[in-house]
Amino acid sequence: MARLVQGTLSRREILEKCLALGAVVLASPSPAGAMMAAFEEREKQVRKPTPPNELGPFYKKRAPETALLRAPGDAGMPLSVSGQVFDTRGETLSNAVVEVWQTDHFGHYDLDGYRYRGKLVANNSGRYKFDSIMPGHYPDRVCQHIHYLVTAPGHKPLITQLYFASDPVFEGDPDHNFNRDPLIHSRDLVRPVILAGDPKEIHAAVQFELCLERL
Ligand SMILES: [Fe+2]
């Protein structure tokens, strides 16, 4: 009876054996070792990287470290956004820095100061959260959105944008209508909106997980 060898060889050894016996064929000018290492690395991916999206012209450096972007009396629908920062292996990135910026309810960016701009540091579980208001529409863009710049040591910076499934532009069907905004290349960036509270204290909540690629 053949001895069961599964578990006695490393993944790399199995790949090298496959290569030697022709079970895996290389069709690349790159060195075999580099291709095997890349194969092994890619197999460990359990999460898709978050799709990138344009930086836009309104990013400002040195945003304050705050998770409270709205002030008492601000117009607009209260919104809380939360999520977790991962890498493509599914490991949480506890040291990620998440910068967000958006318009106010009326579709205006604060270009003089730092209203609706914040820098968040992910906690030990890679989680981040901030409180804001639902951003407004503005003439140069079709959809409501929040901009993100996410950085973590050893990972590629992620520049992206969060969109809302409740946006009237989608007419209730973001699956079919997400590309009405020519800047939305991926449905994944349009997130469901949860309504909570009661009619007098209604607020919206959105989850947006972030996944960075390793350098
Ligand atoms: Fe924008």
Side-chain angles (χ1 to χ4, degrees):
M1 198 172 168
R3 194 166 67 90
L4 190 65
V5 295
Q6 192 176 9
T8 62
L9 296 177
S10 71
R11 184 66 183 119
R12 174 59 71 90
E13 287 166 334
I14 292 171
L15 287 174
E16 283 167 355
K17 191 172 169 184
C18 286
L19 194 63
L21 298 178
V24 169
V25 176
L26 279 185
S28 166
S30 302
M35 290 296 282
M36 289 298 101
F39 186 176
E40 198 177 17
E41 185 68 24
R42 182 59 63 89
E43 279 190 321
K44 289 176 186 163
Q45 287 194 5
V46 294
R47 283 183 170 268
K48 274 197 315 182
T50 303
N53 211 197
E54 277 76 353
L55 180 71
F58 300 119
Y59 172 69
K60 279 180 76 174
K61 289 179 179 172
R62 292 182 286 279
E65 262 192 47
T66 178
L68 184 58
L69 272 53
R70 70 166 178 261
D74 277 3
M77 174 78 168
L79 168 73
S80 65
V81 181
S82 59
Q84 220 168 349
V85 189
F86 298 94
D87 65 14
T88 50
R89 292 181 180 183
E91 289 167 18
T92 54
L93 299 181
S94 57
N95 47 5
V97 174
V98 180
E99 286 183 72
V100 291
W101 64 105
Q102 63 167 89
T103 72
D104 63 12
H105 170 67
F106 304 103
H108 299 130
Y109 284 99
D110 183 2
L111 302 179
D112 301 321
Y114 287 92
R115 288 303 319 280
Y116 297 107
R117 298 172 185 272
K119 183 185 285 188
L120 317 150
V121 180
N123 72 9
N124 288 342
S125 316
R127 294 185 189 280
Y128 76 93
K129 183 178 188 300
F130 63 95
D131 288 300
S132 186
I133 53 106
M134 194 67 90
H137 291 88
Y138 61 94
D140 289 344
R141 288 295 309 274
V142 177
C143 285
Q144 298 162 293
H145 57 277
I146 297 178
H147 293 270
Y148 276 69
L149 169 58
V150 190
T151 52
H155 294 77
K156 292 182 193 171
L158 169 67
I159 296 167
T160 193
Q161 299 180 38
L162 157 66
Y163 300 88
F164 305 92
S166 59
D167 195 313
V169 170
F170 303 133
E171 294 189 72
D173 192 355
D175 285 348
H176 288 105
N177 298 332
F178 71 89
N179 53 9
R180 285 185 178 179
D181 185 329
L183 280 192
I184 306 179
H185 309 299
S186 168
R187 167 70 177 85
D188 294 348
L189 297 179
V190 185
R191 309 304 305 152
V193 175
I194 298 162
L195 294 183
D198 60 53
K200 285 182 184 164
E201 296 287 338
I202 191 169
H203 59 271
V206 169
Q207 274 209 321
F208 188 39
E209 313 297 2
L210 302 160
C211 180
L212 274 57
E213 293 179 275
R214 293 188 175 200
L215 279 174

Short mmCIF file of all heavy atoms in Angstrom, two decimals, residues 24-58:
data_model
loop_
_atom_site.label_atom_id
_atom_site.label_comp_id
_atom_site.label_asym_id
_atom_site.label_seq_id
_atom_site.Cartn_x
_atom_site.Cartn_y
_atom_site.Cartn_z
N VAL A 24 3.52 20.71 -13.19
CA VAL A 24 3.41 22.16 -13.36
C VAL A 24 4.42 22.56 -14.42
O VAL A 24 5.57 22.12 -14.38
CB VAL A 24 3.71 22.91 -12.03
CG1 VAL A 24 3.85 24.41 -12.27
CG2 VAL A 24 2.62 22.63 -11.01
N VAL A 25 3.97 23.33 -15.39
CA VAL A 25 4.84 23.75 -16.48
C VAL A 25 4.99 25.27 -16.44
O VAL A 25 3.99 25.98 -16.30
CB VAL A 25 4.25 23.31 -17.85
CG1 VAL A 25 5.12 23.82 -18.99
CG2 VAL A 25 4.10 21.80 -17.90
N LEU A 26 6.22 25.71 -16.53
CA LEU A 26 6.46 27.15 -16.52
C LEU A 26 6.44 27.68 -17.95
O LEU A 26 7.15 27.17 -18.81
CB LEU A 26 7.83 27.46 -15.93
CG LEU A 26 7.97 27.48 -14.42
CD1 LEU A 26 9.39 27.94 -14.06
CD2 LEU A 26 6.95 28.41 -13.80
N ALA A 27 5.62 28.68 -18.19
CA ALA A 27 5.61 29.36 -19.49
C ALA A 27 5.91 30.83 -19.23
O ALA A 27 5.06 31.69 -19.41
CB ALA A 27 4.27 29.17 -20.17
N SER A 28 7.09 31.09 -18.71
CA SER A 28 7.47 32.44 -18.34
C SER A 28 8.97 32.56 -18.41
O SER A 28 9.68 31.59 -18.07
CB SER A 28 6.98 32.73 -16.91
OG SER A 28 7.60 33.90 -16.43
N PRO A 29 9.48 33.72 -18.85
CA PRO A 29 10.94 33.88 -18.86
C PRO A 29 11.52 34.09 -17.46
O PRO A 29 12.73 34.06 -17.28
CB PRO A 29 11.14 35.13 -19.73
CG PRO A 29 9.85 35.88 -19.62
CD PRO A 29 8.77 34.87 -19.38
N SER A 30 10.67 34.27 -16.43
CA SER A 30 11.17 34.51 -15.07
C SER A 30 11.78 33.23 -14.50
O SER A 30 11.39 32.13 -14.88
CB SER A 30 10.02 34.96 -14.17
OG SER A 30 9.42 36.13 -14.69
N PRO A 31 12.73 33.39 -13.57
CA PRO A 31 13.36 32.20 -12.97
C PRO A 31 12.33 31.32 -12.26
O PRO A 31 11.36 31.83 -11.69
CB PRO A 31 14.35 32.79 -11.96
CG PRO A 31 14.51 34.23 -12.33
CD PRO A 31 13.27 34.64 -13.05
N ALA A 32 12.56 30.02 -12.29
CA ALA A 32 11.61 29.07 -11.70
C ALA A 32 11.38 29.36 -10.21
O ALA A 32 10.25 29.31 -9.72
CB ALA A 32 12.12 27.64 -11.89
N GLY A 33 12.48 29.69 -9.51
CA GLY A 33 12.34 29.95 -8.07
C GLY A 33 11.41 31.11 -7.78
O GLY A 33 10.57 31.05 -6.88
N ALA A 34 11.55 32.17 -8.59
CA ALA A 34 10.70 33.35 -8.39
C ALA A 34 9.25 33.03 -8.70
O ALA A 34 8.33 33.48 -8.01
CB ALA A 34 11.20 34.50 -9.27
N MET A 35 9.03 32.23 -9.75
CA MET A 35 7.66 31.85 -10.12
C MET A 35 7.03 30.98 -9.04
O MET A 35 5.86 31.13 -8.70
CB MET A 35 7.66 31.12 -11.46
CG MET A 35 7.98 32.00 -12.65
SD MET A 35 6.74 33.29 -12.91
CE MET A 35 5.44 32.32 -13.71
N MET A 36 7.81 30.05 -8.48
CA MET A 36 7.28 29.17 -7.43
C MET A 36 6.96 29.98 -6.16
O MET A 36 5.94 29.76 -5.51
CB MET A 36 8.29 28.07 -7.09
CG MET A 36 8.45 27.00 -8.17
SD MET A 36 6.94 26.08 -8.50
CE MET A 36 6.38 26.88 -10.00
N ALA A 37 7.86 30.94 -5.85
CA ALA A 37 7.61 31.78 -4.67
C ALA A 37 6.34 32.60 -4.86
O ALA A 37 5.52 32.74 -3.94
CB ALA A 37 8.81 32.69 -4.43
N ALA A 38 6.16 33.12 -6.09
CA ALA A 38 4.98 33.94 -6.36
C ALA A 38 3.70 33.08 -6.32
O ALA A 38 2.67 33.51 -5.82
CB ALA A 38 5.11 34.61 -7.73
N PHE A 39 3.81 31.84 -6.83
CA PHE A 39 2.69 30.91 -6.82
C PHE A 39 2.27 30.63 -5.36
O PHE A 39 1.11 30.73 -4.97
CB PHE A 39 3.14 29.62 -7.52
CG PHE A 39 2.08 28.58 -7.75
CD1 PHE A 39 2.39 27.42 -8.46
CD2 PHE A 39 0.78 28.72 -7.29
CE1 PHE A 39 1.44 26.43 -8.69
CE2 PHE A 39 -0.18 27.74 -7.51
CZ PHE A 39 0.16 26.60 -8.20
N GLU A 40 3.30 30.33 -4.56
CA GLU A 40 3.05 30.01 -3.15
C GLU A 40 2.41 31.19 -2.43
O GLU A 40 1.47 31.05 -1.65
CB GLU A 40 4.39 29.67 -2.51
CG GLU A 40 4.31 28.92 -1.22
CD GLU A 40 5.71 28.57 -0.72
OE1 GLU A 40 6.72 29.18 -1.18
OE2 GLU A 40 5.79 27.71 0.12
N GLU A 41 2.92 32.39 -2.72
CA GLU A 41 2.41 33.59 -2.06
C GLU A 41 0.96 33.85 -2.46
O GLU A 41 0.10 34.15 -1.63
CB GLU A 41 3.30 34.78 -2.46
CG GLU A 41 2.99 36.08 -1.77
CD GLU A 41 3.30 36.05 -0.27
OE1 GLU A 41 4.14 35.24 0.17
OE2 GLU A 41 2.67 36.84 0.44
N ARG A 42 0.68 33.71 -3.76
CA ARG A 42 -0.67 33.98 -4.25
C ARG A 42 -1.69 33.00 -3.69
O ARG A 42 -2.83 33.35 -3.41
CB ARG A 42 -0.68 33.97 -5.78
CG ARG A 42 -2.02 34.29 -6.42
CD ARG A 42 -2.51 35.67 -5.98
NE ARG A 42 -1.64 36.74 -6.40
CZ ARG A 42 -1.73 37.39 -7.56
NH1 ARG A 42 -2.67 37.07 -8.41
NH2 ARG A 42 -0.90 38.36 -7.85
N GLU A 43 -1.25 31.77 -3.50
CA GLU A 43 -2.16 30.75 -2.94
C GLU A 43 -2.60 31.08 -1.52
O GLU A 43 -3.63 30.61 -1.06
CB GLU A 43 -1.48 29.37 -2.93
CG GLU A 43 -1.53 28.67 -4.26
CD GLU A 43 -1.07 27.23 -4.13
OE1 GLU A 43 -0.12 26.96 -3.37
OE2 GLU A 43 -1.66 26.38 -4.78
N LYS A 44 -1.78 31.87 -0.84
CA LYS A 44 -2.12 32.22 0.54
C LYS A 44 -3.15 33.33 0.61
O LYS A 44 -3.65 33.65 1.68
CB LYS A 44 -0.85 32.66 1.29
CG LYS A 44 0.09 31.51 1.58
CD LYS A 44 1.35 32.03 2.23
CE LYS A 44 2.37 30.91 2.39
NZ LYS A 44 3.71 31.43 2.63
N GLN A 45 -3.43 33.95 -0.51
CA GLN A 45 -4.38 35.07 -0.51
C GLN A 45 -5.78 34.56 -0.21
O GLN A 45 -6.28 33.67 -0.88
CB GLN A 45 -4.37 35.79 -1.85
CG GLN A 45 -3.13 36.61 -2.07
CD GLN A 45 -3.28 37.57 -3.25
OE1 GLN A 45 -4.34 37.67 -3.83
NE2 GLN A 45 -2.22 38.26 -3.57
N VAL A 46 -6.37 35.14 0.79
CA VAL A 46 -7.75 34.77 1.11
C VAL A 46 -8.69 35.94 0.88
O VAL A 46 -9.89 35.79 0.92
CB VAL A 46 -7.87 34.27 2.57
CG1 VAL A 46 -7.11 32.98 2.75
CG2 VAL A 46 -7.41 35.32 3.55
N ARG A 47 -8.12 37.12 0.66
CA ARG A 47 -8.95 38.29 0.42
C ARG A 47 -8.48 39.01 -0.84
O ARG A 47 -7.28 39.07 -1.12
CB ARG A 47 -8.82 39.29 1.58
CG ARG A 47 -9.61 38.89 2.78
CD ARG A 47 -9.50 39.93 3.86
NE ARG A 47 -10.44 39.62 4.90
CZ ARG A 47 -11.67 40.10 4.95
NH1 ARG A 47 -12.09 40.97 4.05
NH2 ARG A 47 -12.49 39.76 5.91
N LYS A 48 -9.44 39.57 -1.53
CA LYS A 48 -9.11 40.39 -2.70
C LYS A 48 -8.68 41.76 -2.21
O LYS A 48 -9.31 42.32 -1.31
CB LYS A 48 -10.35 40.57 -3.58
CG LYS A 48 -10.59 39.47 -4.57
CD LYS A 48 -11.56 39.90 -5.67
CE LYS A 48 -12.77 40.63 -5.18
NZ LYS A 48 -13.72 41.01 -6.24
N PRO A 49 -7.65 42.34 -2.81
CA PRO A 49 -7.32 43.72 -2.44
C PRO A 49 -8.51 44.64 -2.74
O PRO A 49 -9.22 44.42 -3.71
CB PRO A 49 -6.14 44.06 -3.35
CG PRO A 49 -5.67 42.78 -3.92
CD PRO A 49 -6.80 41.81 -3.87
N THR A 50 -8.71 45.63 -1.91
CA THR A 50 -9.77 46.61 -2.16
C THR A 50 -9.47 47.32 -3.47
O THR A 50 -8.34 47.77 -3.70
CB THR A 50 -9.83 47.64 -1.01
OG1 THR A 50 -10.04 46.93 0.20
CG2 THR A 50 -10.95 48.64 -1.23
N PRO A 51 -10.47 47.44 -4.36
CA PRO A 51 -10.20 48.12 -5.63
C PRO A 51 -9.76 49.56 -5.40
O PRO A 51 -10.34 50.25 -4.56
CB PRO A 51 -11.56 48.07 -6.35
CG PRO A 51 -12.32 46.97 -5.69
CD PRO A 51 -11.85 46.94 -4.26
N PRO A 52 -8.76 50.01 -6.13
CA PRO A 52 -8.35 51.41 -6.00
C PRO A 52 -9.33 52.34 -6.72
O PRO A 52 -10.13 51.90 -7.54
CB PRO A 52 -6.98 51.45 -6.68
CG PRO A 52 -7.02 50.31 -7.66
CD PRO A 52 -7.95 49.27 -7.10
N ASN A 53 -9.26 53.60 -6.36
CA ASN A 53 -10.09 54.61 -7.01
C ASN A 53 -9.34 55.94 -6.94
O ASN A 53 -8.46 56.11 -6.10
CB ASN A 53 -11.44 54.68 -6.29
CG ASN A 53 -12.62 55.07 -7.16
OD1 ASN A 53 -13.67 55.45 -6.67
ND2 ASN A 53 -12.47 54.98 -8.46
N GLU A 54 -9.72 56.87 -7.76
CA GLU A 54 -8.94 58.11 -7.92
C GLU A 54 -8.76 58.87 -6.60
O GLU A 54 -9.66 58.90 -5.77
CB GLU A 54 -9.64 59.03 -8.92
CG GLU A 54 -9.32 58.71 -10.36
CD GLU A 54 -10.06 57.48 -10.88
OE1 GLU A 54 -10.72 56.79 -10.07
OE2 GLU A 54 -9.96 57.20 -12.08
N LEU A 55 -7.59 59.52 -6.48
CA LEU A 55 -7.31 60.36 -5.31
C LEU A 55 -8.19 61.61 -5.34
O LEU A 55 -8.66 62.07 -4.30
CB LEU A 55 -5.84 60.76 -5.30
CG LEU A 55 -5.38 61.64 -4.15
CD1 LEU A 55 -5.34 60.87 -2.83
CD2 LEU A 55 -3.99 62.24 -4.42
N GLY A 56 -8.39 62.18 -6.52
CA GLY A 56 -9.16 63.43 -6.62
C GLY A 56 -8.32 64.62 -6.23
O GLY A 56 -7.21 64.48 -5.70
N PRO A 57 -8.82 65.83 -6.48
CA PRO A 57 -8.01 67.04 -6.28
C PRO A 57 -8.08 67.64 -4.88
O PRO A 57 -7.44 68.65 -4.62
CB PRO A 57 -8.62 68.02 -7.30
CG PRO A 57 -10.04 67.59 -7.43
CD PRO A 57 -10.09 66.11 -7.18
N PHE A 58 -8.85 67.03 -3.96
CA PHE A 58 -9.12 67.74 -2.70
C PHE A 58 -8.45 67.14 -1.47
O PHE A 58 -8.79 67.47 -0.34
CB PHE A 58 -10.64 67.82 -2.47
CG PHE A 58 -11.35 68.56 -3.58
CD1 PHE A 58 -12.30 67.94 -4.35
CD2 PHE A 58 -11.03 69.89 -3.86
CE1 PHE A 58 -12.94 68.61 -5.39
CE2 PHE A 58 -11.65 70.57 -4.89
CZ PHE A 58 -12.61 69.94 -5.66
#
